[in-house]
C-alpha cells in the first residue's frame, strides 16, 4: 500500500472528524492545476468507467475516489439518509454562497493529499457534484465538465438493484427503492443538467451508448474538447475495472432491460417520459 492509498483509507474513515479534516487542511497545499475536469451524470451511467479510462491517460491526474469522499466540505445524500438518491435532498447538496470561497479552498487542500504533486490537470468524479456545477465553475478556475447520459431504463433498474436503502428509511421503503424513486432520480438529473448547462462555459455531453459502441471516436471527441493528446489505441483496447469487474468496454443495457417487468417499464415511462423522449430512449414496450 503506497502512502497516498494509506492517507485515502484513513481520511475516508475519519473525514467527519473535525480534528482529522482540520489536520489534512492545514498540511495540504491548495491545488492550482491548469485545468479541472469534473465528470458528472446520474448514478449507474458510466461515470466510473469514464474515470477509469481517464486514469490511463498520462496527462491526467485522477482522484483515487469520489471527491466527496476526500473532503468534508461537499455534502453527500448519504449524509441525509438517502443512498444514491440526491433528488430527495437536493437543496442540502448546495454550498451556501457565504461559505463557498472558504469551502473551495479547503477542498483543494484536502484533495492535494490524494494526488501527485503539482498536477497539470485534475480529474474528479462525484455523482452529487452534478448539483454543483456552478459552484465549481466559479471557484475552480478553468473547469471542464463532461456529462454522461445513459438509457433511463437501464439506469433506473441499476439504481433499484444496487442501492440498499439506508436503515433510517427502510421502515417506509423496504431494503430496496420502489421503481418510482430511481426513475425520479434519473429524470431530475437530466432536468438539472439541462437547467445548468447554459451557464457552464466548458461543457460536453456524451452518452454511455456512444462510448461503448465507439470508444475511439468518443475519446477523440473528449480529448479535442479538453485540448489534450489523444489516447493510444492500445490503451483503449485494454480491460477496465469497474466496481470490481474487469472487462472490455461494452454496452450492458440489455441486462438491465431483461430485469424490468412490464409494470416497472410503464412506471418509468410515466415518471421519466420527457427525459426518455429527449434522449431518444423512449419505448412504450419493454426492450429485451
Amino acid at each position: 500500500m503506497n502512502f497516498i492509498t494509506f492517507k485515502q483509507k484513513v481520511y475516508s474513515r475519519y473525514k467527519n472528524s473535525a480534528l482529522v479534516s482540520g489536520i489534512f487542511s492545514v498540511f495540504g497545499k491548495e491545488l492550482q492545476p491548469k485545468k479541472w475536469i469534473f465528470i458528472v451524470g446520474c448514478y449507474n451511467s458510466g461515470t466510473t468507467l469514464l474515470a477509469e479510462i481517464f486514469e490511463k491517460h498520462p496527462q491526467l491526474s485522477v482522484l483515487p475516489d469520489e471527491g466527496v469522499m476526500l473532503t468534508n466540505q461537499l455534502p453527500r445524500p448519504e449524509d441525509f439518509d438517502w443512498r444514491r438518491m440526491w433528488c430527495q435532498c437536493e437543496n442540502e447538496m448546495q454550498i451556501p454562497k457565504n461559505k463557498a470561497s472558504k469551502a473551495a479552498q479547503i477542498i483543494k487542500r484536502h484533495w492535494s493529499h490524494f494526488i501527485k504533486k503539482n498536477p497539470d490537470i485534475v480529474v474528479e468524479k462525484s455523482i452529487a457534484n452534478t448539483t454543483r456545477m456552478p459552484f465549481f465553475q466559479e471557484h475552480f478556475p478553468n473547469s471542464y465538465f463532461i456529462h454522461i447520459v445513459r438509457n433511463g431504463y437501464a439506469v433506473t433498474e441499476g439504481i433499484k438493484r444496487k442501492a440498499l436503502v439506508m436503515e433510517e428509511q427502510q421502515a417506509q421503503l423496504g431494503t430496496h427503492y420502489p421503481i418510482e424513486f430511481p426513475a425520479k432520480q434519473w429524470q431530475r438529473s437530466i432536468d438539472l443538467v439541462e437547467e445548468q448547462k447554459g451557464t457552464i462555459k466548458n461543457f460536453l455531453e456524451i452518452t454511455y451508448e456512444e462510448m461503448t459502441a465507439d470508444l475511439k471516436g468518443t475519446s477523440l471527441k473528449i480529448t479535442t474538447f479538453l485540448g489534450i493528446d489523444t489516447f493510444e489505441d492500445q490503451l483503449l483496447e485494454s480491460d477496465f475495472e469497474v466496481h470490481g469487474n474487469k472487462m472490455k468496454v461494452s454496452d450492458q443495457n440489455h441486462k438491465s432491460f431483461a430485469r424490468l417487468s412490464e409494470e416497472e417499464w410503464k412506471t418509468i415511462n410515466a415518471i421519466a417520459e420527457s427525459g426518455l423522449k429527449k434522449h431518444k430512449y423512449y419505448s412504450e414496450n419493454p426492450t429485451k
Side-chain angles (χ1 to χ4, degrees):
M1 181 186 301
N2 62 39
F3 190 45
I4 288 180
T5 302
F6 173 74
K7 288 193 292 184
Q8 175 193 348
K9 288 183 177 297
V10 170
Y11 188 81
S12 295
R13 184 172 181 179
Y14 297 107
K15 78 184 186 74
N16 291 326
S17 163
L19 176 61
V20 172
S21 287
I23 290 172
F24 271 72
S25 178
V26 168
F27 289 98
K29 178 183 178 182
E30 192 168 342
L31 288 171
Q32 295 181 330
K34 294 177 182 177
K35 292 178 182 176
W36 292 92
I37 301 171
F38 295 97
I39 300 172
V40 297
C42 191
Y43 305 96
N44 204 54
S45 291
T47 56
T48 300
L49 173 60
L50 185 56
E52 289 291 328
I53 292 169
F54 278 6
E55 283 192 0
K56 294 183 179 289
H57 196 291
Q59 290 177 272
L60 304 180
S61 298
V62 182
L63 285 169
D65 198 351
E66 289 201 352
V68 295
M69 296 299 297
L70 303 175
T71 182
N72 66 344
Q73 298 296 304
L74 294 170
R76 303 165 60 236
E78 289 79 6
D79 298 332
F80 303 93
D81 303 328
W82 289 102
R83 182 173 284 120
R84 296 171 73 90
M85 197 62 58
W86 62 249
C87 70
Q88 295 295 328
C89 51
E90 182 177 337
N91 291 337
E92 286 80 2
M93 296 299 97
Q94 302 309 307
I95 298 171
K97 287 190 175 294
N98 63 339
K99 297 181 179 180
S101 294
K102 182 64 174 177
Q105 181 184 56
I106 295 173
I107 291 166
K108 293 169 189 174
R109 286 179 170 272
H110 283 164
W111 287 352
S112 71
H113 290 281
F114 311 109
I115 209 157
K116 70 178 185 181
K117 292 183 178 179
N118 304 315
D120 286 336
I121 305 175
V122 174
V123 180
E124 191 279 338
K125 188 276 292 189
S126 293
I127 298 300
N129 285 341
T130 304
T131 68
R132 296 184 279 249
M133 288 194 289
F135 163 77
F136 285 107
Q137 177 170 260
E138 181 176 354
H139 297 285
F140 290 68
N142 211 16
S143 295
Y144 288 71
F145 299 85
I146 300 176
H147 177 224
I148 182 165
V149 180
R150 184 179 181 181
N151 187 295
Y153 302 104
V155 170
T156 298
E157 186 279 326
I159 297 174
K160 181 180 185 298
R161 173 169 41 89
K162 295 177 181 179
L164 183 66
V165 174
M166 296 184 75
E167 186 175 351
E168 294 78 3
Q169 306 288 352
Q170 287 187 11
Q172 176 187 358
L173 300 174
T175 57
H176 288 80
Y177 292 114
I179 199 72
E180 293 86 351
F181 280 73
K184 179 183 176 183
Q185 174 60 65
W186 183 81
Q187 180 63 57
R188 181 56 190 150
S189 183
I190 294 295
D191 288 343
L192 183 58
V193 171
E194 191 67 24
E195 293 167 14
Q196 294 183 71
K197 71 179 186 181
T199 66
I200 301 302
K201 182 179 178 181
N202 300 309
F203 178 87
L204 175 68
E205 187 169 87
I206 64 172
T207 70
Y208 168 86
E209 291 76 26
E210 69 175 306
M211 181 172 69
T212 54
D214 181 13
L215 182 56
K216 184 176 180 179
T218 304
S219 69
L220 179 60
K221 181 188 297 187
I222 291 171
T223 54
T224 300
F225 168 67
L226 298 175
I228 60 175
D229 296 340
T230 58
F231 283 89
E232 294 182 10
D233 290 349
Q234 184 177 358
L235 292 178
L236 298 177
E237 293 167 0
S238 61
D239 291 344
F240 296 90
E241 185 170 338
V242 179
H243 303 306
N245 298 314
K246 201 168 186 179
M247 63 182 71
K248 295 191 182 300
V249 174
S250 62
D251 190 330
Q252 301 294 306
N253 285 348
H254 63 284
K255 295 181 181 179
S256 288
F257 297 159
R259 296 186 185 105
L260 290 168
S261 68
E262 288 190 18
E263 191 61 34
E264 287 175 326
W265 197 277
K266 290 178 182 177
T267 300
I268 295 171
N269 281 344
I271 293 172
E273 180 178 355
S274 63
L276 293 167
K277 287 184 173 179
K278 173 180 172 58
H279 290 282
K280 297 180 171 55
Y281 294 133
Y282 184 85
S283 173
E284 288 193 6
N285 300 307
T287 301
K288 302 299 183 182

